[in-house]
Amino acid sequence: MGERTWASSLLSLIKVLVCLLLISHVLGEKSAHLREAGRKQHDHQMRKMQAFKASVVRRDSVSSPSPSFSPSPTPSAVTVTPSPRVYHVTTYGADPTGKIDSTEAILQAISDALEGPSDGFLMQGIANLGGAQINLEGGNYLIRQPLQFPVVGRGNLMIHGGTLKASDNFPTDGYLIDLSTSSGNAPEYFFEFITLRDLLLDSNFRGGGIQVINSLRTSIDNCYITHFTTNGILAKGGHETYIRNSFLGQHITAGGDKGERNFSGTAINLMGNDNSVTNVVIFSAGIGIMVSGQANLLSGVHCYNKATGFGGTGIYLKLAGLTQTRIVDSYMDFTGIVAEDPVQLHISNTFFLGDAFIQLKSINGVVNGVNIVDNMFSGSNKGVDIVQLDQSNGPFKTIDQVVVDKNNVRGMNLKATIGSGVVQGNGTSWTLDLNPILLFPNLIKNVQYTFFPSGNSFVNHALTNVSNNQVLVESDAQVPASVFVVADQGK
């Protein structure tokens, strides 16, 4: 009897424990479901809040001028972080379809950006706008007057990401983007570190594309500038305008245009010092690049604008006596280079195609410190010299440190400042005419020659004349001999 009671009690206890385990499992699953439902509800609410915040930022588009804080005496204070200062032009009413004039809207966005909060200064008197951006949002905007900055003394600002087109009543002497001022009380430098990037500028055959006046460290990057009649880009005064990875052409063409002889205007006009043009294509213009400032660098430039045969020029260096320009790693495609009275000019590693040549133009008769070396010239066997002298204003009279050498030539006439050759004969004089090779007329500064008589004979010999680029060697007795000559005009 006692054993049965004990067994019955044990069985009852086991049943109770099983029930408790089942209840615990059910409650655990329900609790997990509740936690999951709560997490999903929390995520849903967070997504709604983020969407609402994004819509508010998009409508407002410009953050408050200074960070806002929610004061609280407790450690759990919440800081509201402002959005970057990006000024969306459509928020100001600009029409991204290009059907309605957007001038006032874009100018207002620029004005707000220039008057926005700043953080210290760049150059003295130029406020640092902290990288504020005028975002064109990939739109196509019609404008009827230049986008001229309303105030000066600002820096660290970008305009990017869209197309600007001049209207039919846009002023013919204006520029789509104008970094200049009409104020008579302007500082020495108007702007610093302004970036114009990812833009297509269509001047609609009314004026120019970009004007940069008395500004520092302006960057024009990945821009396509077309249909200009004056200048695609004008950089005047200031320092260090960098033009990179861009395309410029008055007419949109890829070469062989039937109207090429009518191309006009200048794609890039550098009227200042220390500028750089890198990896730029100029596909149509009367002049590709005009340089009238000092110490400029042109590299990776491809000019196939108006061909030389039609009166065009790829690169024109118009600063007689103060050239100081380097042209390297470029491609002159049927268009040449003209340099007025070049002083410290370097041209190297450049390809000249289609009888394109280099012309040194005398203004005051000076050419000094010029290197034209390691280039390639390819022509059509029409007898065109690779380097030519324009002495219509008078001859070159001051010639010093000029090196034209180590250029390879095909289908054109080689010209150099170093000429060499050999003359053979049986007599008392040997004359080598180097005029077909030497660049300057009647100018030999240094001669080296070697006299090789035939057999075992030995005679006295001497260099007796180098006039008219002809080297004359004479001996005191008749002898068969070969004379090797190297003449240099540059030393």
Side-chain angles (χ1 to χ4, degrees):
M1 183 68 179
E3 291 179 358
R4 285 197 301 272
T5 301
W6 178 84
S8 176
S9 299
L10 180 61
L11 181 60
S12 298
L13 180 61
I14 291 172
K15 288 180 179 180
V16 170
L17 290 174
V18 170
C19 289
L20 290 174
L21 288 173
L22 289 173
I23 291 171
S24 175
H25 178 70
V26 170
L27 291 175
E29 287 186 341
K30 184 173 182 181
S31 177
H33 285 305
L34 289 173
R35 288 196 300 271
E36 179 65 19
R39 185 185 64 80
K40 289 182 177 179
Q41 180 66 18
H42 176 267
D43 290 348
H44 177 68
Q45 293 297 328
M46 288 297 294
R47 284 194 296 270
K48 288 178 64 178
M49 290 178 64
Q50 290 170 354
F52 175 75
K53 179 182 177 181
S55 66
V56 170
V57 171
R58 179 63 185 84
R59 288 194 299 271
D60 184 44
S61 87
V62 182
S63 68
S64 57
S66 60
S68 299
F69 298 95
S70 299
S72 173
T74 66
S76 60
V78 178
T79 301
V80 178
T81 304
S83 300
R85 291 189 291 274
V86 179
Y87 298 77
H88 297 269
V89 297
T90 57
T91 301
Y92 291 82
D95 173 22
T97 69
K99 297 178 181 178
I100 301 173
D101 179 76
S102 297
T103 306
E104 296 303 327
I106 299 176
L107 282 174
Q108 188 60 56
I110 293 173
S111 179
D112 284 357
L114 295 176
E115 296 294 354
S118 61
D119 182 13
F121 292 88
L122 300 174
M123 281 290 291
Q124 184 176 2
I126 298 181
N128 178 9
L129 297 176
Q133 299 179 21
I134 310 297
N135 191 343
L136 299 183
E137 306 172 80
N140 191 341
Y141 303 96
L142 186 69
I143 59 175
R144 56 180 170 77
Q145 69 184 60
L147 299 177
Q148 185 178 47
F149 284 20
V151 296
V152 296
R154 301 292 189 272
N156 197 5
L157 169 73
M158 178 190 296
I159 301 176
H160 68 100
T163 296
L164 299 174
K165 182 178 180 180
S167 65
D168 292 338
N169 59 348
F170 191 89
T172 56
D173 60 349
Y175 289 83
L176 291 169
I177 298 178
D178 190 349
L179 300 183
S180 70
T181 182
S182 57
S183 172
N185 299 318
E188 180 182 6
Y189 299 115
F190 301 163
F191 305 100
E192 182 180 4
F193 192 35
I194 302 297
T195 299
L196 308 175
R197 176 178 294 166
D198 304 334
L199 299 171
L200 191 154
L201 303 180
D202 185 347
S203 298
N204 193 25
F205 298 108
R206 301 187 64 84
I210 298 172
Q211 177 172 248
V212 181
I213 307 295
N214 292 340
S215 296
L216 293 173
R217 294 174 270 277
T218 303
S219 180
I220 301 171
D221 192 3
N222 192 35
C223 289
Y224 188 114
I225 303 174
T226 188
H227 298 151
F228 50 85
T229 54
T230 53
N231 301 290
I233 298 173
L234 170 62
K236 184 177 180 180
H239 290 278
E240 299 156 354
T241 296
Y242 270 41
I243 304 168
R244 300 184 293 256
N245 309 321
S246 294
F247 304 87
L248 297 97
Q250 184 181 58
H251 299 267
I252 299 178
T253 179
D257 194 288
K258 293 181 180 179
E260 181 176 341
R261 65 178 64 250
N262 298 317
F263 291 172
S264 63
T266 300
I268 298 175
N269 194 344
L270 301 178
M271 301 178 68
N273 303 339
D274 309 330
N275 304 299
S276 175
V277 179
T278 306
N279 297 333
V280 166
V281 174
I282 299 171
F283 52 86
S284 65
I287 297 175
I289 302 175
M290 174 75 79
V291 181
S292 54
Q294 303 174 46
N296 292 284
L297 171 62
L298 314 179
S299 65
V301 174
H302 181 191
C303 290
Y304 65 100
N305 44 299
K306 188 175 184 177
T308 300
F310 295 143
T313 304
I315 299 172
Y316 198 111
L317 307 175
K318 192 177 182 63
L319 187 64
L322 288 173
T323 310
Q324 296 177 332
T325 296
R326 294 145 292 161
I327 303 172
V328 298
D329 300 326
S330 294
Y331 179 11
M332 309 307 297
D333 192 345
F334 283 80
T335 62
I337 297 174
V338 177
E340 296 183 353
D341 274 4
V343 173
Q344 292 191 313
L345 168 64
H346 182 87
I347 303 173
S348 68
N349 296 327
T350 291
F351 179 41
F352 294 79
L353 178 67
D355 292 321
F357 58 86
I358 299 169
Q359 182 184 89
L360 307 181
K361 184 178 179 66
S362 173
I363 302 299
N364 298 309
V366 176
V367 54
N368 190 327
V370 173
N371 298 322
I372 302 174
V373 296
D374 297 319
N375 301 288
M376 296 188 298
F377 294 82
S378 180
S380 54
N381 294 303
K382 294 180 180 179
V384 178
D385 295 342
I386 64 169
V387 182
Q388 303 178 13
L389 304 179
D390 180 352
Q391 301 185 91
S392 58
N393 293 321
F396 284 105
K397 296 171 290 186
T398 304
I399 303 169
D400 190 28
Q401 299 183 79
V402 180
V403 179
V404 180
D405 193 26
K406 297 191 294 184
N407 300 295
N408 70 66
V409 180
R410 181 179 181 183
M412 298 178 71
N413 293 336
L414 174 66
K415 301 296 286 187
T417 56
I418 300 174
S420 63
V422 59
V423 59
Q424 298 174 324
N426 186 353
T428 59
S429 67
W430 293 259
T431 301
L432 180 63
D433 186 1
L434 292 173
N435 278 295
I437 298 175
L438 293 179
L439 175 62
F440 297 101
N442 194 25
L443 178 67
I444 293 178
K445 294 186 175 182
N446 182 57
V447 173
Q448 294 180 345
Y449 78 92
T450 305
F451 189 90
F452 282 102
S454 297
N456 296 321
S457 59
F458 179 82
V459 296
N460 294 319
H461 53 81
L463 174 68
T464 59
N465 200 330
V466 293
S467 62
N468 298 316
N469 287 341
Q470 294 181 333
V471 178
L472 175 61
V473 176
E474 296 183 282
S475 66
D476 62 355
Q478 182 172 336
V479 63
S482 299
V483 180
F484 295 88
V485 176
V486 178
D488 194 338
Q489 296 186 321
K491 294 182 179 180

